[in-house]
Amino acid sequence: MRVNARMLDAMYDVAIIGGGVNGCGIARDAAGRGASVVLLEQGDFAGATSSASTKLIHGGLRYLEHYEFRLVREALMEREVLWKIAPHIIWPLRFILPHHAGLRPAWLLRLGLFIYDHLGGRKLLPATRTLDLRRDVAGQPLRADYTRAFEYSDCWVEDSRLVVLNALDAAERGADVRPRTRVVSAERRAAEGSVPAHWRLEVEHAEDKTRESVAARVLVNAAGPWVHEVLARVVRANSPASVRLVQGSHIVVPKLYDHDRAYIFQNADGRIIFSVPYERDFTLIGTTDRDYKGAPHEVKASDEEIAYLCAAASEYFKKPIVPADVVWTYSGVRPLYDDGASKAQEATRDYVLEMDETEGMAPLLSVFGGKITTYRRLAEHAVQKLKNVLPGGDKPSWTGTAPLPGGDFDVRDVPRVIAQVQRAHPWLDARLARRLVLAYGTRTLRLLDGARGPRDLGETFGADLTEAEVRYLIREEWARSGADILWRRSKLGLRFSTEQAARLDAYVRAAVEGGPAAFAARNTLAAGGNAS
């Protein structure tokens, strides 16, 4: 009985495989309802699909063509919900849709946008309006044959930060959050004595390759593009549902225009692409849609996709865009639910939650599909499906009103929070203060705690990334490499040289292993100096 008692004490209510937006969202929701949660991610949070989006919180205007009204309505409703709980990393963005003669007629665009404005209970975001591109500044970078456009609202999101903040909030609500922890195997165990039916997981830690066992009453497979691999190789279970892996690639080029609005362009192949202001000095263009057959972690933008995006954008912009203009590319694999659509672009973006409740055995919930905009609702639905086996599963939904870390202020108060940070630290550069608030919100004050001047921020590694920020990300947000910071906790990698990135990576790894002081001493010895 003592062994059983110890096992009960060590057993989690739910183990979640996958630290993308869906896995972290489910962990946050379940932990906030009082369930004991362990979240297991084989790499860094948002290390795959969730950091490779177009960075939009949007209803999906083109999904109306495929009659996905439930999905569009849910996504439209989520725009303002997510904006309110994370106003530091989500903000409104106006989109310009030029009318392209010969493609979708103007009446159809107006009808779609009318539905878009009214389907989701919009309250704060501005409504659609018609633009004369010959007079509006939005027409200046476009070719002269585009004279009319429609302007509508959606939102922008720092996608990888959204994931990390969900993981952080889950941890602060009691979840055991474990990045760089791979699930090697998962086995169902029947009830025995006072020990209930449960899952026994063997996990491996990436840093030292050590292994341990983890027990949980419920297993959630939210592994994204690896969802089928987890079922087949880890859980060894069959599933009637299947996933369709679809590659989406993006390119980043130097800034194409000076205003702060985005464009949505129709293409002759029926697809659409976005052109979005990005990181002050750049423009983001994407995305592609094509079936993907390789390993998810090996995905990268192909020359064909880069050429396609350049050509598609050049149909609209006066100045042609060529592959030589591209300063960065990224690509992700969307794990879409396979609904049998003939084209990748037509595959549903809706999600399916498949429950395996073998009698007398611990439940398994697998997540197929989804999009970043609807992650929170997906998480709610997942926890509701488990309400009979999870503590608090039947409690009222709560994640739509509780702010994510740093987001505890009104959506209109970003300037006020920036001013508050500058009052507390009047020596802080205004541009840096703004960047920090748009990443950390009110927690910027925690990051800067104790700093009385620029020297207290420590070394600057490149751009405006200081030692104080790096230490915060190691301490608070699980950063363990330079890439974690440059490409997921931020996009400062666009401004770093190869040498600067290498220096940062060495610092982070040394800080994690032995602390910054050990790294400083190592540098002194390498340079042939001494401590005197």
Side-chain angles (χ1 to χ4, degrees):
M1 289 295 293
R2 272 179 283 175
V3 173
N4 287 349
R6 283 203 301 271
M7 183 154 186
L8 282 170
D9 290 341
M11 188 180 297
Y12 296 94
D13 292 318
V14 57
I16 301 168
I17 301 176
V21 71
N22 291 332
C24 291
I26 294 169
R28 179 190 185 226
D29 194 314
R33 296 175 193 242
S36 59
V37 177
V38 59
L39 174 63
L40 305 161
E41 161 56 41
Q42 64 180 344
D44 185 25
F45 294 121
T49 305
S50 293
S51 60
S53 77
T54 314
K55 325 301 181 192
L56 302 180
I57 299 293
H58 67 134
L61 184 60
R62 72 183 180 90
Y63 305 151
L64 292 174
E65 289 186 314
H66 302 296
Y67 308 109
E68 296 204 58
F69 295 108
R70 190 214 66 79
L71 172 64
V72 175
R73 184 173 187 274
E74 183 174 86
L76 288 171
M77 293 175 68
E78 281 299 284
R79 294 177 306 177
E80 294 190 7
V81 172
L82 297 179
W83 180 23
K84 288 178 180 178
I85 67 172
H88 49 324
I89 60 166
I90 297 173
W91 53 89
L93 187 61
R94 294 289 277 175
F95 287 78
I96 312 298
L97 172 55
H99 175 241
H100 189 306
L103 296 180
R104 296 169 180 87
W107 69 264
L108 182 61
L109 298 178
R110 281 198 299 267
L111 175 61
L113 287 167
F114 177 84
I115 296 172
Y116 207 73
D117 271 350
H118 294 89
L119 187 62
R122 176 185 54 83
K123 295 179 180 178
L124 299 176
L125 295 170
T128 298
R129 66 183 184 122
T130 302
L131 296 183
D132 183 345
L133 293 176
R134 294 166 298 187
R135 299 181 179 180
D136 194 282
V137 67
Q140 292 179 2
L142 302 181
R143 289 165 48 180
D145 43 337
Y146 298 105
T147 60
R148 181 169 52 159
F150 304 97
E151 182 183 275
Y152 69 93
S153 292
D154 269 323
C155 290
W156 167 267
V157 61
E158 296 287 356
D159 55 2
S160 51
R161 289 209 56 75
L162 179 67
V163 178
V164 170
L165 294 182
N166 271 272
L168 181 59
D169 201 41
E172 293 181 351
R173 294 177 187 275
D176 183 358
V177 173
R178 305 191 192 182
R180 300 166 191 84
T181 306
R182 182 173 66 94
V183 180
V184 178
S185 64
E187 179 184 353
R188 276 181 164 127
R189 299 282 180 90
E192 182 179 355
S194 61
V195 178
H198 63 279
W199 286 93
R200 173 66 67 175
L201 282 65
E202 184 179 7
V203 303
E204 181 179 83
H205 304 287
E207 293 173 352
D208 58 10
K209 302 302 180 184
T210 58
R211 292 189 177 188
E212 67 171 301
S213 291
V214 173
R217 293 176 175 83
V218 178
L219 179 62
V220 174
N221 175 10
W226 290 273
V227 62
H228 252 307
E229 183 176 329
V230 167
L231 285 170
R233 298 185 183 182
V234 177
V235 178
R236 294 182 176 86
N238 295 319
S239 168
S242 60
V243 67
R244 183 172 186 169
L245 300 183
V246 174
Q247 178 176 354
S249 296
H250 298 76
I251 60 175
V252 175
V253 299
K255 185 166 65 173
L256 297 175
Y257 47 88
D258 291 328
H259 63 78
D260 61 357
R261 288 173 282 178
Y263 293 94
I264 174 172
F265 296 144
Q266 306 175 75
N267 299 323
D269 61 4
R271 292 216 68 257
I272 57 97
I273 65 167
F274 295 98
S275 172
V276 185
Y278 192 59
E279 296 292 317
R280 296 197 314 268
D281 301 318
F282 304 94
T283 300
L284 170 67
I285 299 171
T287 178
T288 59
D289 264 316
R290 68 178 191 176
D291 287 311
Y292 183 74
K293 302 298 183 184
H297 67 278
E298 294 177 351
V299 66
K300 64 178 181 178
S302 68
D303 292 342
E304 178 187 0
E305 288 178 298
I306 294 169
Y308 170 85
L309 292 172
C310 288
S314 296
E315 281 288 312
Y316 288 85
F317 288 117
K318 287 177 184 175
K319 182 182 177 182
I321 301 161
V322 297
D325 296 327
V326 176
V327 299
W328 183 49
T329 69
Y330 66 89
S331 191
V333 178
R334 306 183 195 98
L336 305 182
Y337 176 72
D338 191 354
D339 60 355
S342 59
K343 297 180 181 179
Q345 70 196 57
E346 296 173 355
T348 182
R349 266 53 176 177
D350 212 343
Y351 53 85
V352 171
L353 303 176
E354 183 188 88
M355 190 77 155
D356 178 351
E357 293 182 286
T358 304
E359 187 174 352
M361 304 299 284
L364 167 66
L365 179 67
S366 294
V367 178
F368 295 85
K371 58 201 296 283
I372 199 164
T373 303
T374 54
Y375 89 90
R376 193 195 65 82
R377 292 288 287 146
L378 182 154
E380 281 188 344
H381 290 151
V383 174
Q384 287 165 7
K385 267 189 169 290
L386 299 168
K387 66 181 181 181
N388 293 329
V389 290
L390 278 189
D394 58 350
K395 288 182 178 179
S397 302
W398 66 277
T399 57
T401 55
L404 285 167
D408 50 337
F409 58 93
D410 188 86
V411 295
R412 294 160 292 195
D413 282 352
V414 170
R416 179 188 62 78
V417 177
I418 295 172
Q420 179 184 7
V421 169
Q422 289 183 296
R423 281 197 302 273
H425 304 280
W427 45 268
L428 192 66
D429 177 79
R431 178 173 284 195
L432 176 57
R434 177 177 175 78
R435 181 181 71 76
L436 293 177
V437 169
L438 292 180
Y440 309 104
T442 56
R443 295 202 174 193
T444 301
L445 294 172
R446 182 185 300 190
L447 186 156
L448 297 172
D449 186 42
R452 302 180 184 279
R455 294 182 63 180
D456 292 330
L457 299 181
E459 177 182 353
T460 298
F461 293 95
D464 57 9
L465 179 67
T466 67
E467 195 173 351
E469 186 175 357
V470 171
R471 289 197 304 266
Y472 175 88
L473 291 171
I474 294 171
R475 183 179 69 249
E476 302 281 344
E477 296 191 5
W478 301 282
R480 293 296 180 268
S481 72
D484 293 348
I485 292 173
L486 295 180
W487 298 111
R488 287 179 287 280
R489 305 316 185 274
S490 75
K491 290 297 181 288
L492 290 171
L494 285 165
R495 305 178 187 281
F496 265 55
S497 68
T498 302
E499 293 76 16
Q500 288 172 326
R503 163 75 184 174
L504 172 65
D505 187 65
Y507 175 89
V508 172
R509 293 182 186 279
V512 170
E513 292 171 9
F519 179 64
R522 196 175 308 168
N523 269 3
T524 302
L525 292 173
N530 56 57
S532 61

